[in-house]
Amino acid sequence: MRIRSFLFVALMAMVSFRVAAAGPDAAVIERGQYLMNGVVACGNCHVARGARGEPLFDKGLSGGMVFDEPAFKAYASNITPDPETGIGKWTDAQLAKAIREGVRPDNSIIGPPMPIEFYRHLSDEDLKAIIAYLRAQPPVKNLVQRSTYNMPLPPAYGPPIKSVKAPPASNKRAYGEYLAQIGHCMECHTPRDGKGMLQHGKLGAGGQVFKGPWGESVSRNLTPHPSGLKDWTDAQIVTAVREGVDRDGKPYRPPMGFGFYKTISDADMAALIAYLRSLKPQAFAGGR
Ligand code: HEC
Ligand code: HEC
């Protein structure tokens, strides 16, 4: 009896030791999972695609989505840990540089539409969490075609980054802006000029047209203007982002990552809304 209870205690100690040892890593992966399945939504582009562009969720982030534009034909890369066709041979530092600075281990530049300008804002901690999550995924063999660019890629997206800290979550507006950066919301919700550059003076005014299998969608005005979100309640914005449903009950179309945003926490949603409500009111930048 005594021996058995001793064994039991020893066993419990072992179990709790293992949980404790796995604790910090598990928390980091969990943070990565929250970001990837939520506001960061890398999968919106990197999830595997079939011949007709349909998502193949069982093949994870093994890539293949095609972006066919006048200036480029880009294919989303395989970012599963497969050593041959994915990122399995890259070190954490190499992955960090690729995601946050757009530079691969061989020093080549990752082209659009990967939104590197926005990912430059990723905090060290969140970047680490995303990398831990990527490493924890099953490797999937999928050789993705090389992208071709009929335009020069920049030599870099900016100076090398040493360290980035996120603003404290207690500062709702600033933290909401951080979330909007790493969710690259304004990349789609800001109009572009004739050269395809974002018109930062019209931040959030919408009007970008997206053509795809869904037909044509136009990004909406997210600023507090009557043609934007001025008359929307917080609850209506939450439903739009999380459920992908308009105020009149109509579902939105891609490419906004509807489906990913379901799990954005209440606190993060409140921060995003505080940020959107702080934008300069702008008239809708779209033609329609
Ligand atoms: C809007 C679409 C889009 C989003 C969102 C996106 N990517 Fe990409 N990503 C691409 C495309 C397209 C490429 C290939 C570009 C090229 O060929 O130069 C790419 C390339 C990469 C590469 C280089 C892989 C290689 O083998 O060269 C990595 C790593 C990567 N993405 C990781 C991520 C992570 C992590 C996220 C989320 C934080 C993310 N991407 C979000 C479209 C996207
Ligand atoms: C890849 C492009 C893209 C990204 C990234 C994106 N959106 Fe959108 N969003 C759209 C498009 C396009 C629509 C309109 C879809 C339609 O009309 O069917 C839309 C619609 C919306 C709406 C509905 C507004 C209205 O007036 O009906 C809200 C709110 C919104 N987005 C907020 C966000 C937030 C917050 C983020 C970042 C977390 C974000 N979006 C990221 C493209 C994008």
Side-chain angles (χ1 to χ4, degrees), residues 40 99-100 114-122 182 184:
V40 174
I99 298 167
R100 193 158 66 179
M114 174 128 166
I116 304 292
E117 296 85 350
F118 292 86
Y119 293 160
R120 287 180 66 85
H121 296 273
L122 269 167
I182 67 175
H184 67 107

Side-chain angles (χ1 to χ4, degrees), residues 77-102:
S77 315
N78 179 349
I79 56 171
T80 72
D82 181 60
E84 306 306 328
T85 62
I87 48 83
K89 285 184 183 151
W90 299 17
T91 65
D92 285 4
Q94 288 173 332
L95 261 175
K97 199 164 171 71
I99 298 167
R100 193 158 66 179
E101 300 184 48

Side-chain angles (χ1 to χ4, degrees), residues 33-49 55 57 60-61 65 133 241-244 255-265:
Q33 176 163 5
Y34 169 72
L35 292 170
M36 296 288 280
N37 290 344
V39 73
V40 174
C42 312
N44 201 30
C45 292
H46 282 280
V47 116
R49 299 279 162 169
F57 292 106
L61 300 174
M65 187 174 185
Y133 172 83
V241 174
R242 277 203 193 135
E243 312 297 331
M256 177 150 151
F258 303 116
F260 284 95
Y261 297 147
K262 280 189 170 54
T263 52
I264 297 179
S265 71

Side-chain angles (χ1 to χ4, degrees), residues 184-185 188-189 217-220 222 232 252-253 255-256 261:
H184 67 107
C185 314
C188 292
H189 283 279
S217 63
V218 182
S219 67
R220 310 284 178 109
L222 299 187
W232 288 54
Y252 295 112
R253 287 161 299 168
M256 177 150 151
Y261 297 147

Side-chain angles (χ1 to χ4, degrees), residues 167-240:
S170 56
N171 185 342
K172 253 168 67 174
R173 198 213 66 86
Y175 193 69
E177 180 175 23
Y178 171 74
L179 293 173
Q181 296 281 21
I182 67 175
H184 67 107
C185 314
M186 293 306 158
E187 196 212 359
C188 292
H189 283 279
T190 302
R192 291 182 187 271
D193 64 17
K195 286 185 178 155
M197 303 301 283
L198 291 177
Q199 296 178 276
H200 290 288
K202 295 186 180 168
L203 191 73
Q208 265 193 63
V209 179
F210 298 92
K211 295 194 177 101
W214 56 85
E216 213 177 88
S217 63
V218 182
S219 67
R220 310 284 178 109
N221 182 358
L222 299 187
T223 74
H225 185 271
S227 64
L229 300 179
K230 180 171 186 285
D231 302 326
W232 288 54
T233 64
D234 287 2
Q236 286 170 332
I237 300 177
V238 171
T239 304

